[in-house]
């Protein structure tokens, strides 16, 4: 889950009505033909007014993991815009294969506060595993997303969001101890033990096409806390 979320931490362009704040966890899409590429090897392109496609090259080059992201505009309601987004990957090992997807629906609210967009979403982290000796497994981890994008000026924006998983389902048939351990992690999650919560906050400066972002993220219960820096281009 951490790898999927980190792959789609925000990226922006010049901040105005023609180039609004854009990232995987709000409802904005790139315009047709518009491209975005980051130092983290995240590439996206606008295909149509309602469709955006992308890929994470680090997944592909470092672990030979084909992956694709999709963002689809669903509908508008007054000052609210709603999109469906998904990032899927396929990992093949000697003993098993894993298909994974982080997908969900996000609504962005534009008129609650001046210069502030609020993002609310519902996501499912899905993992399906199959392999030798009738190995089969499936995980669904459902989460609520809450976040906001704050326009500080035409060149500065502040972003923050939190993922709060609230239920997980696990099905597994396996004779492999290491695989059992991974799936037991999801099966054993309880509210009283501290659900895994992903937090992210950043401050981004835009120089027209070029942008730089400084931020931090935290992943619980693994207690992973790390600063974050990224550079990206939107053109």
């Amino acid at each position: 889950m951490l790898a999927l979320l980190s792959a789609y931490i925000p990226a922006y362009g010049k901040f105005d009505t023609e180039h609004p704040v854009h990232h995987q966890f709000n409802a904005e899409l790139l315009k047709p033909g518009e491209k975005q590429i980051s130092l983290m090897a995240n590439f996206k392109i606008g295909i149509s007014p309602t469709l955006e496609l992308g890929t994470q090259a680090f997944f592909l080059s470092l672990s030979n993991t084909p992956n694709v992201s999709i963002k689809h505009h669903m509908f508008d309601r007054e000052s609210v815009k709603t999109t469906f987004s998904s990032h899927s990957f396929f990992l093949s090992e000697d003993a098993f294969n894993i298909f994974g997807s982080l997908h969900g629906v996000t609504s962005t609210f534009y008129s609650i506060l001046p210069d502030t967009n609020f993002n609310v979403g519902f996501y499912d982290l899905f993992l399906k595993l199959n392999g030798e000796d009738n190995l089969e497994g499936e995980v669904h981890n459902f989460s609520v997303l809450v976040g906001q994008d704050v326009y500080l000026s035409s060149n500065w924006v502040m972003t923050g969001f939190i993922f709060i998983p609230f239920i997980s389902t696990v099905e597994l048939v396996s004779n492999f101890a290491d695989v059992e351990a991974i799936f037991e992690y999801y099966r054993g999650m309880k509210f009283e033990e501290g659900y895994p919560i992903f937090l992210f906050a950043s401050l981004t400066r835009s120089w027209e096409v070029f942008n730089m972002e400084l931020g931090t993220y935290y992943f619980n219960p693994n207690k992973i806390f790390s600063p974050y820096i990224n550079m990206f281009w939107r053109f």
Side-chain angles (χ1 to χ4, degrees):
M1 182 175 183
L2 179 61
L4 282 173
L5 289 167
S6 298
Y8 283 94
I9 282 171
Y12 311 94
K14 181 68 173 177
F15 309 125
D16 54 34
T17 56
E18 293 298 317
H19 300 86
V21 174
H22 168 276
H23 55 80
Q24 191 75 1
F25 303 118
N26 70 10
E28 295 293 342
L29 275 71
L30 295 176
K31 294 183 177 181
E34 190 176 14
K35 304 173 185 66
Q36 186 169 278
I37 185 168
S38 79
L39 189 65
M40 306 297 291
N42 179 22
F43 175 77
K44 298 180 182 179
I45 183 171
I47 302 299
S48 74
T50 61
L51 180 63
E52 173 185 306
L53 298 178
T55 189
Q56 173 49 252
F58 277 164
F59 283 175
L60 183 59
S61 61
L62 297 182
S63 59
N64 193 28
T65 307
N67 65 97
V68 62
S69 69
I70 299 172
K71 198 171 185 183
H72 170 63
H73 175 260
M74 297 175 65
F75 52 82
D76 297 336
R77 292 292 185 273
E78 296 182 354
S79 59
V80 181
K81 184 183 293 185
T82 300
T83 60
F84 168 83
S85 65
S86 172
H87 184 78
S88 303
F89 70 92
F90 178 77
L91 176 63
S92 180
E93 298 290 345
D94 292 338
F96 57 86
N97 300 317
I98 298 178
F99 172 80
S101 176
L102 177 65
H103 53 272
V105 175
T106 300
S107 292
T108 297
F109 298 80
Y110 294 93
S111 61
I112 297 177
L113 290 176
D115 302 318
T116 302
N117 300 340
F118 288 91
N119 306 305
V120 178
F122 177 78
Y123 280 80
D124 173 26
L125 174 63
F126 170 70
L127 299 174
K128 185 173 181 61
L129 181 147
N130 61 73
E132 299 175 354
D133 300 324
N134 297 317
L135 170 63
E136 293 185 9
E138 188 171 300
V139 168
H140 287 276
N141 190 350
F142 298 100
S143 302
V144 171
L145 164 77
V146 179
Q148 64 178 17
D149 304 307
V150 182
Y151 293 84
L152 303 177
S153 73
S154 63
N155 298 104
W156 291 92
V157 71
M158 181 172 60
T159 288
F161 58 79
I162 178 172
F163 268 86
I164 308 176
F166 62 90
I167 189 171
S168 293
T169 64
V170 177
E171 298 179 5
L172 177 66
V173 177
S174 172
N175 295 320
F176 296 94
D178 54 344
V179 175
E180 286 277 6
I182 294 173
F183 277 72
E184 281 296 330
Y185 168 80
Y186 288 97
R187 180 183 288 117
M189 289 192 300
K190 306 293 182 182
F191 280 107
E192 59 269 21
E193 295 174 358
Y195 248 35
I197 297 176
F198 182 88
L199 297 163
F200 176 80
S202 73
L203 185 65
T204 302
R205 173 66 160 89
S206 173
W207 290 271
E208 297 293 343
V209 172
F210 174 72
N211 305 265
M212 178 172 286
E213 180 180 29
L214 298 175
T216 185
Y217 63 80
Y218 175 76
F219 188 64
N220 177 58
N222 302 76
K223 311 300 183 185
I224 298 174
F225 176 83
S226 176
Y228 172 84
I229 184 171
N230 193 19
M231 293 180 287
F232 40 87
W233 295 258
R234 180 174 171 180
F235 51 94

